[in-house]
Amino acid sequence: MEITVQWIRTSWTKKSRGGEEAAHRNAAPVGFALPGMAPSLAHVVRMYERDGFAPRDGQEDLRRVNVQLRETGGRLRVQPRIEPLCAIPPRPRRPPAVHLVPGQWIRWQLNYRFSSAAGMQDWSYWMDTFNIAYGPVDADVFLSEPTAYVDERGPVR
């Protein structure tokens, strides 16, 4: 069965935490039309504050995307992985994995806050959005409403 993955990462600093800059960041899309690509690849989109949140897309091997995908019994189990260094916000209880049947897709969002190793620089932030479809899809699938949505964003002050 086909699995389509789109991984969007939006990165910013304290400069875009409030006001007009935050409004610009919050207006960044959470889904894009898919380019033609091999089934073993994910569509990756990066948006950085320094570039005015202009989308830059590319492709990545599915095995390098931070999400666990497992097909069993005609369903796809989806669970993003959290790296140990991504401790803020704390996630003591994560939502359970979501199981998709063919024809369904999910949008799962997580956010993070980081400080420099020496604590000498301002915090930086990023938000990951995983759009994952199970079964054949049109190129504009991720521009519509998802079958399932998990909002795992937390306070990052």
Side-chain angles (χ1 to χ4, degrees), residues 144-155:
S144 64
E145 289 298 313
T147 308
Y149 175 67
V150 177
D151 185 351
E152 201 174 351
R153 295 175 294 171

Side-chain angles (χ1 to χ4, degrees), residues 31-154:
F32 293 87
L34 294 164
M37 57 189 185
S40 61
L41 297 175
H43 180 220
V44 176
V45 179
R46 299 289 181 251
M47 294 181 286
Y48 301 97
E49 174 187 77
R50 68 178 176 264
D51 299 330
F53 300 104
R56 295 179 180 216
D57 68 335
Q59 298 178 5
E60 185 81 48
D61 187 299
L62 274 178
R63 294 173 296 202
R64 299 195 60 184
V65 177
N66 246 3
V67 66
Q68 183 182 63
L69 304 169
R70 189 173 345 147
E71 286 183 283
T72 54
R75 296 175 9 158
L76 177 66
R77 180 183 187 276
V78 177
Q79 177 80 50
R81 292 187 284 265
I82 302 291
E83 296 295 322
L85 77 114
C86 301
I88 296 176
R91 302 179 207 275
R93 292 194 180 114
R94 296 206 50 221
V98 172
H99 294 83
L100 302 176
V101 298
Q104 293 183 327
W105 74 276
I106 184 170
R107 174 170 290 141
W108 196 309
Q109 293 186 296
L110 304 104
N111 62 345
Y112 306 92
R113 180 185 78 192
F114 303 93
S115 63
S116 65
M120 301 300 288
Q121 295 180 342
D122 281 336
W123 291 336
S124 60
Y125 306 85
W126 81 42
M127 180 177 69
D128 281 337
T129 300
F130 296 100
N131 295 318
I132 301 166
Y134 191 44
V137 294
D138 293 328
D140 62 353
V141 64
F142 298 136
L143 301 177
S144 64
E145 289 298 313
T147 308
Y149 175 67
V150 177
D151 185 351
E152 201 174 351
R153 295 175 294 171

Side-chain angles (χ1 to χ4, degrees), residues 6-24:
Q6 183 175 77
W7 177 20
I8 302 166
R9 176 166 288 164
T10 307
S11 302
W12 66 96
T13 66
K14 184 178 174 182
K15 176 183 170 189
S16 294
R17 289 246 1 228
E20 189 174 313
E21 289 86 1
H24 190 63

